[in-house]
């Protein structure tokens, strides 16, 4: 069994008591990893502070080369990394492979963006007081970035923090989710091999309430970039002080199905978007609002497409839906389903848990005040609503305190633009599910879904500060 270490200041060190990492399908311990105490967290912050100048002064072409080498090493090690994701996160191997492909794109895009990070001139003579001055602004790296990531995309969500941070000339202290640290170890090894200087990336492991807390409250940290639950996001904002903060939080993603929609496409895509990674995706399909003329026809197609999904060991090629991250989460989601059933909901598909797996569950006739609708379900369960018309469907879809991404299926351009106007979400996806994401697009939520945007170029904007220069040209 592998015993992993922390990575601090370019060295792999033993650290404190080891944390056991389990195979989420079988429950067996597959590796251990050292945890960080206060001393190691301090050392990681010191190393990141020391490496600030090295990274800030590294030419753009060199940052780009390191990022490109990282992408290429990810490609070489894709099979091994995908298997690690499947084991430690329980993600079906076919989807884990896609995650590794996407992480390669994320690093490649970051390499390209490293060369495009620039400001612009400012015509200072636009006002009388600016006459006789030449003005321009540039972007400077913020400095030390703490990156805290969740369990559900242990590679690509880490990449969405680390790649833009390095592309913009920052240093990073990475704290991955305690349940999925192994993929982060592999990424750090690759960054080391790609030639990243000591201290530019530091990996610390440990619980959010200790290691996380020390990191987010340390005054030497310039920025926190966090993806995770709304409760922790809110807490980070309350204790971060004057640090820059980006928060990618939860959602209860809606889909609207118009009467004119391509129902086969909608059913197929919703079955994928609701249940891949066992629904543990922040843009997982959770609420479907369907116009009544096509409600029954959609529901039948959707139930058929869902019934065709294969559950089981995520390492098997044909499996679509693997385990949930832990028993506590299965019990939480099961409790919410039972609560909805007790209040009159019908179960179209689903059933008892099979050890670590909760079968894909479709509910109808759900009371919209139930937690399974109002809160983020973050599990393999979706509620389908029968709506009198398109306007009503849109209104219900938008009625949420979360607003990350929404999907709308319609063949009518007017309806599509009506939806775009009415749905004040970070992203609106027409003729596809809210689960769509390309790694260079701006991505992030409104309201309780977060603050700021990721998507490499947009993350880099959040990871830099603007410096204005005014040069007096006439004396
Ligand atoms: P958590 O919020 O439980 O954990 C996320 C990370 O925060 C983990 O590394 C965790 O550490 C750490 N953490 C916990 N408490 C603290 C603290 N007090 N200070 C600092 N760090 C802390 O989320 P999950 O891992 O359960 O992920 C699921 C959530 O992530 C869902 O709400 C989901 O919507 C959201 N998410 C959002 C995405 C987006 O892009 N908007 C994408 C993916 C997920 P530890 O593991 O040790 O507890």
């Amino acid at each position: 069994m592998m015993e992993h270490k922390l990575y601090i200041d370019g060295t792999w060190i033993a650290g404190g008591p080891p944390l056991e990492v389990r195979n989420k399908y079988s429950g067996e311990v597959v590796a251990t990893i050292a945890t960080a105490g206060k001393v190691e967290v301090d050392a990681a912050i010191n190393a990141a502070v020391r490496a600030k100048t090295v990274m800030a002064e590294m030419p753009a072409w060199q940052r780009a080369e390191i990022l490109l080498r990282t992408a290429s090493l990810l490609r070489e090690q894709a099979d091994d990394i995908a298997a690690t994701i499947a084991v430690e996160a329980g993600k079906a191997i076919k989807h884990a492979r896609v995650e590794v492909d996407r992480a390669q794109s994320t690093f490649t895009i970051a390499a390209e963006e490293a060369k495009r990070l620039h400001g612009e001139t400012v015509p200072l003579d636009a006002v009388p007081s600016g006459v006789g001055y030449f003005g321009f602004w540039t972007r400077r790296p913020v400095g030390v970035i703490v990156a805290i990531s969740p369990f559900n995309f242990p590679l690509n969500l880490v990449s969405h923090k680390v790649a833009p941070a390095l592309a913009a000339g920052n240093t990073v202290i990475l704290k991955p989710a305690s349940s999925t640290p192994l993929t982060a170890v592999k990424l750090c090894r690759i960054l080391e091999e790609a030639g990243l200087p000591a201290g530019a990336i530091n990996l610390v492991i440990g619980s959010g309430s200790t290691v996380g807390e020390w990191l987010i409250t340390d005054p030497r940290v310039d920025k926190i970039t966090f993806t995770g639950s709304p409760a922790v996001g809110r807490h980070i904002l309350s204790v971060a002080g004057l640090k820059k903060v980006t928060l990618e939080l939860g959602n209860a993603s809606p889909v609207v199905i118009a009467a004119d929609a391509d129902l086969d496409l909608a059913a197929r895509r919703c079955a994928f978007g609701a249940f891949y990674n066992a629904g543990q995706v922040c843009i997982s399909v959770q609420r479907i609002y369907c116009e009544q003329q096509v409600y029954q026809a959609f529901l039948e197609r959707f139930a058929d497409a869902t019934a065709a999904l294969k559950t089981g060991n995520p390492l098997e090629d044909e499996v679509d839906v693997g385990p949930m991250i832990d028993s506590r989460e299965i019990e939480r989601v099961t409790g919410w389903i039972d609560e909805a059933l007790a209040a009159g909901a019908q179960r179209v598909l689903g059933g008892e848990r099979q050890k670590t797996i909760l079968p894909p569950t479709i509910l109808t006739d759900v009371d919209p005040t139930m937690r399974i609708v109002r809160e983020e379900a973050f599990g393999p369960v979706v509620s389908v609503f029968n709506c009198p018309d398109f306007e009503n469907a849109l209104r219900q879809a938008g009625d949420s305190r979360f607003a990350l991404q929404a999907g709308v299926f319609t063949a009518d351009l007017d309806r599509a633009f009506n939806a775009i106007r009415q749905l004040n979400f970070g992203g609106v996806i027409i003729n596809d599910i809210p689960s769509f994401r390309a790694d260079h697009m701006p991505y992030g939520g409104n309201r309780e879904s977060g603050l700021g945007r990721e998507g490499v170029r947009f993350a880099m904007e959040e990871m830099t500060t603007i410096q204005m220069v005014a040069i007096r040209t006439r004396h």
Side-chain angles (χ1 to χ4, degrees), residues 147-153 157 161 175-180 206-216 226-233 235-236 239 247-251 280-283 325 329 376 378 404 437 443-445 449-450 454:
I148 302 181
S149 54
F151 70 83
N152 60 343
F153 284 82
L157 286 184
K161 301 186 178 317
K175 195 213 93 59
S178 301
S179 50
T180 56
S207 87
S209 56
T210 56
V211 172
E213 209 60 37
W214 295 328
L215 289 171
I216 61 180
F226 170 80
T227 299
S229 60
V232 176
H235 170 69
I236 289 176
V239 299
L247 301 176
E248 295 286 349
L249 309 177
N251 197 29
Q280 301 164 115
V281 180
C282 49
I283 40 180
I325 196 71
E329 279 297 280
E376 178 181 37
F378 220 63
L404 184 49
R437 180 176 185 187
Y443 177 80
S449 287
E454 289 197 337

Side-chain angles (χ1 to χ4, degrees), residues 109-253:
I109 297 160
E112 291 159 357
E113 291 295 343
K115 301 177 189 171
R116 290 200 274 261
L117 191 65
H118 59 79
E120 55 186 31
T121 56
V122 181
L124 289 174
D125 63 354
V127 293
S129 58
V131 173
Y133 290 83
F134 179 78
F136 66 93
W137 61 264
T138 56
R139 287 191 176 274
R140 299 179 64 122
V142 289
V144 174
I145 297 184
V146 160
I148 302 181
S149 54
F151 70 83
N152 60 343
F153 284 82
L155 180 63
N156 201 34
L157 286 184
V158 169
S159 303
H160 267 291
K161 301 186 178 317
V162 171
L166 300 176
N170 296 288
T171 61
V172 181
I173 302 150
L174 169 63
K175 195 213 93 59
S178 301
S179 50
T180 56
L182 304 179
T183 311
V185 169
K186 298 208 173 205
L187 180 63
C188 287
R189 285 201 186 284
I190 284 178
L191 286 164
E192 180 184 26
E193 195 182 335
L196 194 66
I201 179 99
N202 302 277
L203 175 69
V204 292
I205 305 295
S207 87
S209 56
T210 56
V211 172
E213 209 60 37
W214 295 328
L215 289 171
I216 61 180
T217 50
D218 195 291
R220 292 167 291 176
V221 170
D222 300 293
K223 179 180 169 74
I224 301 165
T225 169
F226 170 80
T227 299
S229 60
V232 176
R234 227 177 276 120
H235 170 69
I236 289 176
L237 206 57
S238 71
V239 299
L242 282 179
K243 300 176 181 71
K244 288 186 99 175
V245 176
T246 300
L247 301 176
E248 295 286 349
L249 309 177
N251 197 29
S253 306

